[in-house]
Amino acid sequence: MQYGYFDDDAREYVITRPDTPYPWINYLGCEDFFGLFSNTSGGYCFYRDARMLRLTRYRYNNVPTDSGGRYFYLRDSYTGDVWTPSWMPMKSQLDSYECRHGMGYSRISSSRNGLGFSQVSFVPLHDKCEIHKITLTNDSNIDKYIDIFSFVEFCLWNANDDMTNFQRNFSIGEVEIECPPEGSSAIYHKTEYRERRNHYAVWGVNAPVDGFDTDRQSFLGLYNGFDSPEAVFQGQAKDSVASGWAPIGSHYIKLKLSAGESKTYVFVLGYCENPEDQKWEAQNKINKKPARALLEKYSTSEAADRALDELNDYWKNLLGKFTVEADDEKMARMAGIWNQYQCMVTFNMSRSASYFESGIGRGMGFRDSNQDLLGFVHLVPERARSRILDIAATQFPDGSAYHQYQPLTKRGNNEIGSGFNDDPLWLICGVAAYIKETGDYGILNEKVPFNNDESLADTLFIHLKRSFDFTVNNKGPHGLPLIGRADWNDCLNLNCFSKTPGESFQTTANFESGVAESVLIAAIFAFVGPDYVEICKRTNREDEAVYAEKSIMMMIEAINNHGWDGNWFLRAYDAYGKKIGSNECEDGKIYIESNGFSVMAGIGIEDGRAAKALDSVKEHLDTRYGIVLLQPAYKNYHIELGEVSSYPPGYKENAGIFCHNNPWVTIAETRLGRGNRAFETYTKICPAYREDDSDLRRMEPYVYAQMVAGKDAIRHGEAKNSWLTGTAAWTFVSISQYILGVRPVFDGLLIDPCIPSNMKGFTVTRHFRGADYLITVDNSAGKEKGIKSVTVDGNSHETVHGGAAHGGAIIPVFGDGKEHKIIVVMG
Ligand code: BGC
Ligand code: NOJ
């Protein structure tokens, strides 16, 4: 069953009933102030860091689910009827309901007993705040007297401490309230401002109020939930002033609406900072200048509308950089709109704040953020550039890297440390993608610290060299890279040997065997290595290029000699030198990762092993919902394998459909020219194709999920961990660069489609290095791959046939600000 539909013209997903199979959320904010916003107005917001600077409280894993948000309670003071127009938290019966999630904003509209309500929520482009503009309309033919109560619950900034340190926190909450008879009204949350914070939150509305509450217990009643706030049911705010306990912000507005009349309010929830020497305007009175300026700026509904228009223009422009038109509307809307949008979100959040990531535990991942770049770099290359420099600064001098860093300090996270031996290679992958997109070789000369220590700074190129050398210098008995704590698969913990409950599989290494090796890292090396060679050649580092080429050859040889199992690529060798991902194993005979990546790297294409490997993947790992990570699932815990064998069969890395690496197989299939199969693997995990199967899939139909339960699980087909997953970037790469085949390369834009034979053609517009490429592909010949002719602005253009790396045609860099028409005929 469907719970909504796509409105592609508006770039929105329209949810038509509130009781979705899981909260279906959106992200507000593009740069440093962010909100998570569900279809029933749940969620929370933060400035830059979801752990350290959280403005509003959110209760993860609560009952009912999705507890906490920016709520509006309405009361008809004539009938005493009380409801929440966003359905939650009261689960109010509504006469109509709709939630539209768009690019950086959401709209909820509903009605009850002749009162229409609409709320639009967004973060304006250049301010640190959420705007919630609400409009009430009296659609009945009698006057209505409505009480409006706003509601947010403040988090005491450090979200972890907020959820654990009650002996202190119940005594520190402080607020200030300003409710003048004219103009805006504001509630200020200033906990800890008296000491070491120079920031506070403001929750204001552009109208005078008839009361307020700032103390949770006074507003709700001690034994009441969000669904039965005492003040609202009594129709009277308590004018409570929080003192310790739990500070909230609630405005109370009495509104008379004549028949047909509408009234709009602009609520602003903002973060404000003061310089250290300007913290106070009087004893214990915070300096409210920045808050007043913010409220003033959004004091009219026109100002809020203008900010929303600006946001819309911003997204229109961004998504104009890559557009698709095709008969397959699901593919077109995912590739053209939602997949790119999700790439922006993963770029901003890494794996920190979603409805599955609490915003407390995980910072920016070295490997994750580098991969996120792949799907984002075409949108805002300048931000990708500075991200690369931040990431590289957390690398150690030997090329290894902190696995994560904190967004606020940009320093490596000691608690997690290093030792994930795939990490260094993703930096090469990210930088190569950036250079191919922009042609900016200058980035290689940027001086970047090692281990955040300026005195160790060297050029970014040297960082890449250390990454490359790290793999070369850390090989095991078969000449394959040592795995360290884990490679891309965080759960293949071959040196962990953990017996202690609760011990982290990722950060515990009970010994470094010096033996456990990863075929996946070898394949990643073989895939990104050639880009490193190209970078060396193009920056006149001939000797380094020769050395790098030789190192890659040796690695490929090691894969050929020790990484092939007869029908597929092996996955790894454990700490005893035993095979993992081999037909010899009882469970975990075949894994997806090493097969996808080896073929992506071109290994075995010429002698047929690549095709054999992908056929084996299809035979053993494929399901109707995507390709599972391994088979057979591990039935028992294997101390020598770690977390992978800790999950019940079919979940997560133990044979779940781990969507992140499905596009590796898609890309691999395109290398073999198998467009039908490539597209099949693409569509199986693509959420839009499962929209009418939402009761089983449960997650949002407009975004990828990290995992879908595999065939061994009872809930086969059910998705989890939507939004923050490397699936976003890799599926965008797979569809845009390898299936539709519009791929930035060092010398220009390569056009090399590999599509299903029944796809008649498509049109892509691509903004690339300062010009617009309007690319039309004609596949009336019904091919899967191969180009018969290409014209560029009417002139015929050469095609590159054969060659391991490219088929297709490379369209040059025009950089002239003009539009160029490229017509490609497959055949
Ligand atoms: C998950 C992995 C994840 C890791 C991060 C594990 O529990 O299964 O998917 O990468 O945690 O620390
Ligand atoms: C999720 C993590 O964020 C990512 O770094 C890892 O590669 C995958 N899980 C697979 O374990």
Side-chain angles (χ1 to χ4, degrees):
M1 176 178 138
Q2 292 191 197
Y3 289 76
Y5 60 91
F6 287 91
D7 180 345
D8 294 334
D9 290 339
R11 298 192 182 90
E12 292 173 336
Y13 190 80
V14 188
I15 300 166
T16 47
R17 46 185 291 175
D19 56 342
T20 45
Y22 207 71
W24 284 1
I25 72 163
N26 193 11
Y27 282 82
L28 316 179
C30 308
E31 276 178 10
D32 52 15
F33 190 97
F34 299 105
L36 283 73
F37 191 87
S38 75
N39 59 311
T40 57
S41 208
Y44 64 99
C45 60
F46 59 91
Y47 175 57
R48 288 179 64 194
D49 185 318
R51 172 170 176 166
M52 303 307 288
L53 292 174
R54 193 178 297 194
L55 273 76
T56 53
R57 185 170 285 152
Y58 189 73
R59 290 172 179 74
Y60 277 92
N61 198 8
N62 211 308
V63 277
T65 192
D66 199 19
S67 283
R70 315 70 166 167
Y71 295 140
F72 295 96
Y73 295 90
L74 302 180
R75 178 174 179 276
D76 185 321
S77 68
Y78 187 68
T79 61
D81 183 32
V82 171
W83 75 104
T84 39
S86 55
W87 190 61
M88 283 293 268
M90 292 181 65
K91 287 174 77 175
S92 307
Q93 182 82 45
L94 298 169
D95 300 332
S96 66
Y97 160 91
E98 179 183 274
C99 169
R100 290 179 169 258
H101 285 319
M103 305 287 107
Y105 67 88
S106 293
R107 270 176 216 282
I108 294 179
S109 320
S110 69
S111 62
R112 169 148 155 155
N113 293 337
L115 188 84
F117 171 89
S118 77
Q119 168 182 355
V120 56
S121 299
F122 64 100
V123 171
L125 278 180
H126 308 297
D127 284 307
K128 305 177 184 50
C129 68
E130 284 184 352
I131 292 182
H132 302 275
K133 190 185 92 164
I134 65 166
T135 302
L136 289 89
T137 306
N138 183 355
D139 293 320
S140 74
N141 47 21
I142 49 160
D143 292 353
K144 280 188 181 277
Y145 296 86
I146 302 295
D147 296 330
I148 306 169
F149 294 82
S150 74
F151 178 82
V152 298
E153 183 181 17
F154 294 109
C155 177
L156 307 186
W157 304 111
N158 177 338
N160 192 43
D161 189 69
D162 181 72
M163 284 291 170
T164 47
N165 191 7
F166 305 108
Q167 59 79 25
R168 168 180 158 85
N169 293 345
F170 283 167
S171 293
I172 63 174
E174 288 190 286
V175 295
E176 280 182 45
I177 299 144
E178 273 194 338
C179 297
E182 303 283 326
S184 299
S185 310
I187 293 167
Y188 300 88
H189 174 233
K190 60 171 186 176
T191 302
E192 288 191 343
Y193 190 83
R194 64 168 56 246
E195 26 119 350
R196 292 157 298 173
R197 294 189 185 275
N198 62 351
H199 54 87
Y200 57 84
V202 61
W203 176 224
V205 55
N206 64 340
V209 295
D210 297 282
F212 57 85
D213 271 295
T214 63
D215 171 58
R216 189 180 71 203
Q217 184 175 329
S218 309
F219 180 74
L220 291 178
L222 183 58
Y223 293 101
N224 292 352
F226 293 133
D227 60 345
S228 48
E230 204 173 275
V232 180
F233 277 88
Q234 289 173 358
Q236 183 58 56
K238 310 276 183 68
D239 292 354
S240 60
V241 180
S243 174
W245 297 108
I248 61 152
S250 174
H251 307 96
Y252 170 47
I253 299 173
K254 292 193 210 178
L255 170 67
K256 174 185 177 231
L257 278 181
S258 314
E261 200 189 346
S262 280
K263 172 85 185 166
T264 296
Y265 297 95
V266 182
F267 287 84
V268 176
L269 178 58
Y271 169 95
C272 303
E273 254 176 31
N274 280 321
E276 188 62 32
D277 58 347
Q278 291 165 38
K279 277 181 72 167
W280 303 102
E281 62 189 25
Q283 177 70 27
N284 280 338
K285 297 273 172 240
I286 57 176
N287 173 359
K288 302 184 184 63
K289 241 195 217 155
R292 289 194 185 112
L294 189 65
L295 298 185
E296 177 57 33
K297 184 165 175 187
Y298 299 110
S299 60
T300 62
S301 104
E302 293 71 33
D305 291 345
R306 266 198 309 277
L308 185 58
D309 287 346
E310 258 179 59
L311 182 67
N312 281 330
D313 288 347
Y314 172 81
W315 272 105
K316 197 169 154 208
N317 174 42
L318 281 189
L319 295 180
K321 298 191 174 193
F322 178 89
T323 69
V324 197
E325 270 173 51
D327 288 344
D328 189 324
E329 60 172 14
K330 296 186 172 82
M331 183 274 284
R333 68 167 62 109
M334 285 306 297
I337 304 171
W338 290 97
N339 196 173
Q340 295 185 70
Y341 182 61
Q342 190 178 357
C343 285
M344 164 73 97
V345 173
T346 56
F347 177 85
N348 284 330
M349 298 289 131
S350 194
R351 304 296 170 267
S352 70
S354 71
Y355 269 27
F356 295 85
E357 301 278 10
S358 67
I360 290 175
R362 302 175 67 188
M364 313 291 288
F366 195 96
R367 108 166 39 105
D368 292 333
S369 292
N370 271 308
Q371 290 174 80
D372 291 345
L373 284 173
L374 308 178
F376 172 83
V377 61
H378 70 292
L379 292 175
V380 195
E382 314 77 56
R383 288 188 69 203
R385 188 182 207 272
S386 57
R387 175 63 58 78
I388 285 171
L389 302 178
D390 288 348
I391 299 174
T394 64
Q395 188 175 28
F396 290 106
D398 72 349
S400 64
Y402 272 114
H403 194 49
Q404 282 173 18
Y405 71 96
Q406 290 307 317
L408 273 185
T409 62
K410 299 190 175 169
R411 295 194 158 256
N413 184 349
N414 261 324
E415 285 163 35
I416 311 284
S418 67
F420 297 80
N421 286 354
D422 63 316
D423 273 339
L425 293 175
W426 296 115
L427 182 66
I428 302 181
C429 189
V431 172
Y434 170 78
I435 295 178
K436 288 179 192 171
E437 179 67 39
T438 60
D440 171 18
Y441 289 89
I443 193 174
L444 298 169
N445 303 327
E446 292 285 348
K447 278 267 167 41
V448 186
F450 280 98
N451 193 10
N452 295 109
D453 180 345
E454 284 292 344
S455 72
L456 300 175
D458 213 325
T459 61
L460 182 66
F461 177 79
I462 292 298
H463 281 260
L464 298 192
K465 172 157 177 56
R466 301 274 173 86
S467 288
F468 190 86
D469 288 349
F470 181 85
T471 308
V472 175
N473 296 335
N474 287 278
K475 291 187 192 160
H478 300 95
L480 295 164
L482 291 172
I483 197 166
R485 289 182 181 184
D487 59 23
W488 172 89
N489 187 335
D490 269 335
C491 298
L492 210 49
N493 316 113
L494 305 183
N495 295 307
C496 182
F497 289 81
S498 181
K499 281 191 184 144
T500 311
E503 191 169 66
S504 156
F505 286 104
Q506 275 84 45
T507 57
T508 311
N510 288 321
F511 69 96
E512 175 49 66
S513 62
V515 171
E517 296 166 291
S518 162
V519 177
L520 174 62
I521 302 184
I524 299 174
F525 186 81
F527 179 76
V528 305
D531 282 343
Y532 179 67
V533 171
E534 281 302 311
I535 287 172
C536 292
K537 285 187 179 160
R538 284 151 200 274
T539 54
N540 303 318
R541 293 173 167 102
E542 285 302 330
D543 293 349
E544 182 67 12
V546 170
Y547 147 80
E549 267 172 336
K550 209 173 121 220
S551 309
I552 298 166
M553 294 296 293
M554 280 170 68
M555 191 65 83
I556 293 175
E557 217 175 288
I559 298 178
N560 287 339
N561 295 336
H562 304 290
W564 178 250
D565 196 55
N567 285 309
W568 55 78
F569 290 94
L570 273 181
R571 178 61 177 83
Y573 287 92
D574 72 14
Y576 306 113
K578 273 180 56 190
K579 292 175 183 170
I580 299 173
S582 159
N583 201 28
E584 291 168 17
C585 304
E586 193 193 325
D587 289 328
K589 285 174 187 286
I590 171 170
Y591 277 65
I592 187 174
E593 306 102 297
S594 46
N595 286 294
F597 238 100
S598 297
V599 180
M600 275 165 74
I603 299 169
I605 291 187
E606 271 152 33
D607 60 18
R609 281 176 305 148
K612 211 172 195 179
L614 296 187
D615 290 345
S616 298
V617 164
K618 183 164 192 266
E619 184 184 340
H620 299 287
L621 303 180
D622 208 19
T623 77
R624 60 186 289 212
Y625 303 119
I627 305 165
V628 298
L629 195 145
L630 58 84
Q631 277 294 292
Y634 292 106
K635 294 187 267 303
N636 316 306
Y637 178 53
H638 290 253
I639 191 169
E640 77 288 5
L641 301 180
E643 190 171 357
V644 68
S645 60
S646 74
Y647 288 111
Y651 288 114
K652 294 282 284 183
E653 283 85 345
N654 189 16
I657 298 159
F658 213 93
C659 299
H660 186 140
N661 43 38
N662 276 237
W664 298 348
V665 173
T666 307
I667 297 169
E669 289 287 357
T670 66
R671 294 231 41 183
L672 301 184
R674 306 200 297 197
N676 289 332
R677 173 67 182 153
F679 199 66
E680 183 189 339
T681 60
Y682 168 77
T683 54
K684 278 185 175 175
I685 63 157
C686 184
Y689 293 85
R690 289 197 58 200
E691 193 186 8
D692 56 7
D693 185 21
S694 288
D695 287 311
L696 176 58
R697 188 176 184 274
R698 297 186 70 200
M699 294 299 118
E700 299 91 335
Y702 42 91
V703 287
Y704 287 90
Q706 181 206 52
M707 189 217 44
V708 175
K711 56 186 173 182
D712 302 285
I714 292 171
R715 294 168 180 254
H716 181 37
E718 181 188 63
K720 288 190 188 119
N721 286 18
S722 53
W723 286 98
L724 303 187
T725 162
T727 316
W730 277 108
T731 47
F732 185 67
V733 169
S734 74
I735 185 70
S736 64
Q737 300 190 16
Y738 289 89
I739 292 180
L740 301 176
V742 179
R743 177 149 85 250
V745 291
F746 290 106
D747 291 326
L749 200 57
L750 171 72
I751 319 280
D752 184 21
C754 182
I755 58 178
S757 45
N758 63 5
M759 190 184 276
K760 294 274 166 284
F762 60 88
T763 303
V764 160
T765 61
R766 180 65 157 86
H767 183 80
F768 178 68
R769 298 198 212 170
D772 289 304
Y773 296 65
L774 172 55
I775 304 152
T776 308
V777 173
D778 170 354
N779 188 31
S780 35
K783 293 284 172 191
E784 290 178 78
K785 183 151 167 141
I787 280 179
K788 194 162 72 183
S789 70
V790 178
T791 59
V792 177
D793 294 327
N795 304 315
S796 106
H797 184 83
E798 71 185 59
T799 55
V800 189
H801 281 295
H806 311 306
I810 297 178
I811 316 300
V813 175
F814 296 112
D816 55 5
K818 296 196 180 130
E819 186 180 273
H820 298 273
K821 286 199 171 52
I822 292 112
I823 295 174
V824 176
V825 181
M826 293 179 72

